[in-house]
Amino acid sequence: MGKEQRRLRRIKSNRIIFSLVIAAFLFLPPKVFGLELQGFSDITYTYAWHKKDLTDPNTNGTFALGELDLFIRENLSDRVDFLTEFNYSADPNTNGGSVDIERLQIGYLFNDALFVRAGRFHNALSYWNMTYHHGRQLQTSIERPDFLRFEDAGGLVPTHLVGLWVGGLFDTRMGGLEYDLMGGNGPRVQNVDPATTSGGSLSPNSTGDDSKNKAATFMLRYTPRAIRGLGIGISGNIQQLRFYESDGVTEVPIVSPDGSTTSVVNQQIYGVNLEYLAHNIEFLSEGYQFRDYNYHGQSYLDYVWYAQIGLKIMNRVTPYGRFERWTVLANDPYFVALATQDMSKTVAGLRFDLIPRSSIKAEIRFINTPSDNYNETAIQWAFAF
Amino acid sequence: MIAGKSFPVDTLTLDGIKEIYKGEKQLIAGVRLKPIDQRDSQTIRSQFLNKVLNFSGDEYVTYWNNRLFREGGIPPIPQNNSGEVITMVQETDGAIGYVWLDETTAAKANLRILLTIHVRQ
């Protein structure tokens, strides 16, 4: 069977799965067999100008369907809980779409300080990733910071993990101490162009690991009782990455501009986050250091961070702004494989909450990279149901 | 704050109540807690949210939307009025609810008053 036939068959089966999910959603009562179906979606218009890459549809001014995210949660007993999340996203290449199992987790609650879960989760490395993920209605801005995009959309940090998750919350006199420990399949970099050894994207290896080295993530977050709304966290992730062509089988050694070659990268990511969410103020910030080691032991240090601030007025209107910066080394094979370069992005926007479950947002973005400087405007209508 | 006679503790602190209604405290003595809420139309709800939990009604909805998406779990179960809250805490293990103190008089024998909170209306 040819590659094109397999692709068409996959699209057809995705459409059938999605149709069944939608049919269940439309024709069954909201609570069926004890399960409640909830979700998020949005419609967004984006226009980019002064952009050199005219193949980007945003340069034409584009309406885009957001992802349709459906999740089901249920406590199967007082201690056993279950959560699954499907995501249907439109594919700009086919004008079709694909269904992903975003989360599928079963857990056991021993006490408030200890739960154990197995399955596929949101990676605890990032506060934004854990808190908002596909819920665009939940986040103030239209888009998440670019380095926190999902693996298949150009993200730089792992946003999903398949394996085991241990976590809990210690309630102390000084405040809450929350922890998460995750271990599971390490990601791979796929769709690398063998000619340039670049242009790849992360994949969380949901159905099988390509190496014996597992990924591990930790997160520790403190919320002091004395200052309501303040949260401070540290996190880390270790993993090993290999690089593959689009067939997912053929490995591609990555060639850096300085001529060094490697087929594997051992990676450590360390992060800090600081949030303040009270008195109608929203302040979010996260910063990460990447320590990448190639096959020969050469190390590379890279940094990405963002800070966002917003102020809710009259309980409905939130002006906000965000600055994001990437500082990456040109010879780091991980960023060569992902075709990543230095970037800064400034976002200014306004969000209007129609109701607690629906909002309209408008923003302007200024993007600067070594190869292009351009601007975007976007309007989004987001909702939860 | 009231619970049924089978509730595993006799009293709770104000901080403990906040943690239960924010979903942060889920178990006491191995019993799964089931916080009971009241409908928007009840005056006691806005008093409870504003003066005990420090939330507006919209903020509380948003808080639970975020929490359910992030953690899963079960949000506070809404009841139509204090009478239904009293019935539910009597019949459900681990259930805890809020009512005005004078509404507990008739059913006092079958209730446990965990905490009395004085609020200025």
Side-chain angles (χ1 to χ4, degrees):
Chain A
M1 187 184 288
K3 200 174 169 183
E4 182 61 15
Q5 280 177 301
R6 281 201 303 272
R7 190 178 66 81
L8 291 172
R9 204 168 143 176
R10 195 171 63 244
I11 290 169
K12 195 176 171 185
S13 69
N14 279 339
R15 283 180 176 164
I16 291 169
I17 293 168
F18 183 68
S19 301
L20 290 172
V21 172
I22 290 298
F25 176 64
L26 290 177
F27 297 113
L28 295 176
K31 186 157 181 159
V32 182
F33 309 124
L35 298 175
E36 283 188 41
L37 188 61
Q38 294 175 285
F40 300 95
S41 194
D42 62 271
I43 293 97
T44 304
Y45 174 82
T46 308
Y47 175 61
W49 75 95
H50 295 155
K51 190 168 187 177
K52 288 179 185 167
D53 177 11
L54 296 177
T55 62
D56 180 350
N58 288 341
T59 58
N60 300 323
T62 296
F63 286 96
L65 295 177
E67 295 150 328
L68 177 55
D69 193 72
L70 302 172
F71 75 100
I72 298 168
R73 57 179 173 76
E74 184 68 14
N75 282 12
L76 303 180
S77 77
D78 280 357
R79 291 179 183 269
V80 179
D81 60 55
F82 164 79
L83 188 150
T84 187
E85 182 183 357
F86 298 93
N87 187 271
Y88 181 82
S89 54
D91 182 345
N93 297 317
T94 63
N95 267 324
S98 62
V99 180
D100 290 325
I101 297 178
E102 274 296 312
R103 282 188 288 179
L104 178 63
Q105 62 191 49
I106 181 96
Y108 188 88
L109 181 70
F110 289 90
N111 52 53
D112 291 328
L114 178 63
F115 66 75
V116 176
R117 290 176 182 150
R120 177 176 153 127
F121 332 105
H122 297 160
N123 197 307
L125 181 66
S126 158
Y127 173 84
W128 187 298
N129 189 54
M130 285 293 275
T131 306
Y132 306 121
H133 210 85
H134 283 291
R136 283 180 163 172
Q137 165 61 17
L138 302 178
Q139 66 195 34
T140 299
S141 57
I142 289 178
E143 289 187 339
R144 47 175 40 206
D146 282 11
F147 68 83
L148 293 172
R149 283 182 181 182
F150 304 113
E151 288 96 342
D152 57 0
L156 304 183
V157 302
T159 54
H160 300 88
L161 194 134
V162 179
L164 289 172
W165 175 12
V166 176
L169 173 70
F170 289 97
D171 182 30
T172 72
R173 278 188 184 179
M174 303 292 286
L177 191 61
E178 187 184 347
Y179 74 97
D180 293 295
L181 300 167
M182 294 178 163
N185 293 351
R188 65 167 68 189
V189 176
Q190 62 186 15
N191 299 323
V192 177
D193 178 353
T196 61
T197 75
S198 188
S201 61
L202 280 169
S203 163
N205 273 335
S206 295
T207 54
D209 206 340
D210 65 323
S211 85
K212 291 182 176 165
N213 293 285
K214 300 298 157 203
T217 298
F218 79 90
M219 189 284 299
L220 197 60
R221 186 162 180 268
Y222 174 58
T223 48
R225 202 179 289 276
I227 308 174
R228 185 174 76 92
L230 181 67
I232 304 161
I234 57 171
S235 60
N237 176 267
I238 54 170
Q239 59 194 11
Q240 187 182 75
L241 296 129
R242 292 175 181 274
F243 308 91
Y244 297 88
E245 289 184 25
S246 56
D247 62 8
V249 178
T250 312
E251 289 200 47
V252 183
I254 302 301
V255 183
S256 297
D258 64 0
S260 61
T261 304
T262 189
S263 57
V264 64
V265 166
N266 291 305
Q267 186 175 68
Q268 300 167 14
I269 306 173
Y270 299 103
V272 292
N273 62 76
L274 175 70
E275 304 86 43
Y276 181 76
L277 298 159
H279 304 293
N280 295 323
I281 297 169
E282 175 192 79
F283 176 76
L284 305 170
S285 62
E286 294 180 58
Y288 295 88
Q289 180 195 65
F290 291 75
R291 292 174 177 232
D292 293 333
Y293 299 87
N294 69 10
Y295 180 76
H296 309 287
Q298 281 177 286
S299 64
Y300 304 87
L301 285 180
D302 316 87
Y303 300 88
V304 295
W305 63 273
Y306 78 85
Q308 175 174 307
I309 189 158
L311 176 67
K312 198 169 204 174
I313 302 165
M314 296 178 292
N315 211 28
R316 281 189 185 275
V317 181
T318 309
Y320 61 89
R322 183 171 72 220
F323 183 74
E324 176 181 358
R325 184 184 286 280
W326 304 358
T327 309
V328 299
L329 295 173
N331 291 312
D332 184 330
Y334 176 67
F335 291 108
V336 170
L338 296 181
T340 303
Q341 53 186 345
D342 288 355
M343 195 269 294
S344 70
K345 187 172 187 176
T346 307
V347 177
L350 192 70
R351 171 185 169 124
F352 177 73
D353 285 284
L354 291 169
I355 53 173
R357 287 175 170 236
S358 182
S359 60
I360 294 173
K361 313 169 194 177
E363 65 185 35
I364 184 165
R365 309 168 187 143
F366 306 93
I367 300 111
N368 298 300
T369 69
S371 58
D372 200 0
N373 297 323
Y374 61 98
N375 306 325
E376 290 178 342
T377 52
I379 298 174
Q380 179 179 78
W381 192 343
F383 52 97
F385 49 87
Chain B
M1 302 304 308
I2 56 167
K5 284 288 184 189
S6 64
F7 200 74
V9 295
D10 293 329
T11 59
L12 282 170
T13 64
L14 193 58
D15 283 339
I17 299 291
K18 288 179 187 173
E19 287 161 9
I20 291 168
Y21 275 85
K22 288 170 77 179
E24 292 169 350
K25 184 179 277 298
Q26 300 182 71
L27 293 165
I28 289 184
V31 175
R32 185 74 181 223
L33 297 168
K34 299 175 183 80
I36 312 296
D37 201 357
Q38 296 213 28
R39 299 279 178 205
D40 273 344
S41 53
Q42 301 297 314
T43 315
I44 191 172
R45 183 172 194 264
S46 57
Q47 296 282 323
F48 180 73
L49 293 184
N50 294 337
K51 296 186 175 168
V52 179
L53 301 185
N54 295 323
F55 279 110
S56 68
D58 285 355
E59 284 172 343
Y60 197 55
V61 171
T62 302
Y63 173 85
W64 270 103
N65 280 344
N66 288 12
R67 183 170 182 89
L68 291 174
F69 181 64
R70 178 180 167 142
E71 303 279 339
I74 301 292
I77 305 154
Q79 295 296 307
N80 289 322
N81 51 51
S82 294
E84 289 188 9
V85 173
I86 289 169
T87 304
M88 187 150 188
V89 298
Q90 288 172 326
E91 293 176 351
T92 312
D93 285 346
I96 173 174
Y98 58 86
V99 295
W100 296 119
L101 186 61
D102 57 11
E103 292 170 329
T104 63
T105 312
K108 213 164 190 173
N110 298 316
L111 289 177
R112 192 166 281 183
I113 296 177
L114 303 169
L115 182 68
T116 304
I117 303 165
H118 298 274
V119 291
R120 276 190 193 154
Q121 295 189 56

